[in-house]
Structure formats: structure tokens, C-alpha cells
Amino acid sequence: QVQLQESGPGLVKPSGTLSLTCAVSGDSISSINWWTWVRQPPGKGLQWIGEIYHRGDTNYNPSLERRVTISVDKSRNQFSLKLTSLTAADTAVYWCARDYKDCSGRRCIGWLDPWGPGILVTVSS
Amino acid sequence: DIQMDQSPSSLSASVGDRVTITCRASQSISTNLNWYQQRPGKTPNVLIYAVSKSQSGVPSRFRGSGSGTDFTLTISSLQPEDSATYYCQQSYSTPYSFGQGTKVEI
């Protein structure tokens, strides 16, 4: 059974940096899957933040790209999110998720499964 | 970037009703369309992937259809536990965008 677990501070100061880690169990972070971060501000919809492949390849949401870094630690089977220059608008529940890839067809398809339980991060002084 | 437009934003229906949620992509996304269910205060969970394939354990009343740019999630007989917000997501090209969500109230 694949499980993901986010960890990190629940409260960070404006202009500071958010650092979250996602520990993966039941699957190797070096598999064909990608590893993703998603967030949801209170009362709002889901926003895809970005993803990483075990070789270090990344894709980011252009709206956050200047401030976001996703990295992978293969030795610990985990990946991390850093988001800088925080404002109140970054207050959200942050989830990590596996972007499961099925490459049995002509083109790979992917979907987010499973997700971690999520962590609420509040940006406030 | 691909924009995903979901409708309606909310709906109210009764137990046993047939419910349809639509999702339109700003460009063709082939079959790279997924549906997620998020119950209040909970983590989203995939219901349908690749337009019409049901995730293991998902009740058969949930069905996905469509192709190209227009997609539909149908709940054939609404149950009390289906009260949730439903999101479509395209996984055709990054950034993998979500629709705005459809809140289903019973």
C-alpha cells in the first residue's frame, strides 16, 4: 500500500520561506511515476504547484515558478517543496501526491493517486 | 496553459437523482482527463481517470465520458455519501490544471 506523508511547519511568517517534505512508503521514488505538490487556499479550489521526477526533472506552475523549488532525496525516498517570499495568499492546505503513470498505450496517461493527508500552512506574523 | 472550465459551480439534488457535471478544456487533451471527489474537510481522491476508467472501489454509479475538449461526469443515482465537491483535471500537458470544482449538495 502506497502512502505519502507531509511534514513541516504549520505557521510561517510573511516574506519567509515554506519548506515541506513528503515521505513516500510502499513505492520507490525512483519508479516511473512523478511526484507532485497541490494546494488549496481556504474555501477555494485546487491548484497544481509542480512535480518532480527522480532524475531531478521538474515542471512548475508558471504562476509560482519564480518562487518554487521542488527537490528529491532518493536516499530517503522523499521529496520536498520550497516556496519563498510568502504572503497571506499562500495560506493553504498543501498536499503531496503521486502522479501515477500508465505507459501501456501509445501515450502515457497519469493521475494523482494516492495523496498525503495534507498539511495546513498559515502565513501570518 | 490549458484552462479547464467546469459547470455548474454548484447544484442541489435529491437522493436517487441523476446528476451530470461537465468539464471543457481550452484545447484538445485527448483522453488525459481525471475526476476527483473531495468530501468536506478531506483529501481529494481520484474517482475516474483517463476519461472513463474507474478507480478501484469506486461505485458503478459514477461514470465518465467525453473526448477532445468536452467531458462529463455522471452520477446515475445520487446517494447521501456523494455530497462533495468534484474536480476535473487535465494531465495532458503541464501545468496540470484543475477545473473550478462543482459542489454537490443533497
Side-chain angles (χ1 to χ4, degrees):
Chain A
Q1 182 186 4
V2 180
Q3 292 184 312
L4 286 75
Q5 180 68 55
E6 306 90 351
S7 61
L11 179 65
V12 288
K13 294 188 187 308
S15 77
T17 296
L18 163 68
S19 296
L20 298 176
T21 296
C22 180
V24 179
S25 59
D27 189 11
S28 170
I29 207 150
S30 297
S31 66
I32 69 164
N33 303 306
W34 287 64
W35 305 93
T36 300
W37 290 97
V38 175
R39 72 178 184 178
Q40 183 175 46
K44 296 189 176 181
L46 302 171
Q47 182 181 33
W48 186 87
I49 297 171
E51 62 175 4
I52 191 164
Y53 190 58
H54 64 85
R55 296 179 310 192
D57 309 72
T58 54
N59 293 300
Y60 297 131
N61 191 318
S63 68
L64 298 170
E65 191 161 17
R66 290 184 301 106
R67 301 192 291 131
V68 69
T69 303
I70 299 176
S71 58
V72 65
D73 184 340
K74 290 187 281 187
S75 66
R76 295 185 177 185
N77 216 47
Q78 63 186 34
F79 63 107
S80 300
L81 170 70
K82 276 189 169 37
L83 187 64
T84 62
S85 304
L86 295 172
T87 70
D90 295 309
T91 293
V93 175
Y94 287 76
W95 288 280
C96 58
R98 181 180 65 172
D99 183 1
Y100 183 84
K101 297 298 189 186
D102 178 352
C103 298
S104 59
R106 286 185 298 171
R107 180 189 167 98
C108 289
I109 55 175
W111 60 95
L112 300 179
D113 181 67
W115 298 53
I119 183 168
L120 173 62
V121 177
T122 301
V123 180
S124 174
S125 55
Chain B
D1 297 359
I2 298 174
Q3 309 304 317
M4 304 300 293
D5 186 24
Q6 235 181 288
S7 62
S9 56
S10 66
L11 65 91
S12 181
S14 300
V15 173
D17 283 354
R18 181 184 183 91
V19 165
T20 298
I21 299 168
T22 63
C23 183
R24 174 166 287 176
S26 58
Q27 66 184 72
S28 178
I29 57 173
S30 186
T31 58
N32 297 86
L33 190 282
N34 308 314
W35 290 97
Y36 299 86
Q37 177 192 63
Q38 184 182 30
R39 294 193 173 103
K42 301 297 186 182
T43 299
N45 287 300
V46 64
L47 282 177
I48 304 286
Y49 62 92
V51 177
S52 60
K53 299 184 180 183
S54 294
Q55 180 70 334
S56 175
V58 172
S60 59
R61 62 181 180 273
F62 291 93
R63 291 189 61 186
S65 62
S67 64
T69 60
D70 295 317
F71 303 91
T72 299
L73 175 68
T74 300
I75 309 174
S76 59
S77 178
L78 199 63
Q79 299 300 304
E81 61 267 30
D82 299 337
S83 178
T85 301
Y86 295 84
Y87 294 92
C88 61
Q89 180 224 9
Q90 64 83 16
S91 56
Y92 182 80
S93 68
T94 59
Y96 293 147
S97 42
F98 292 91
Q100 307 95 314
T102 296
K103 185 174 183 179
V104 174
E105 295 179 318
I106 301 172

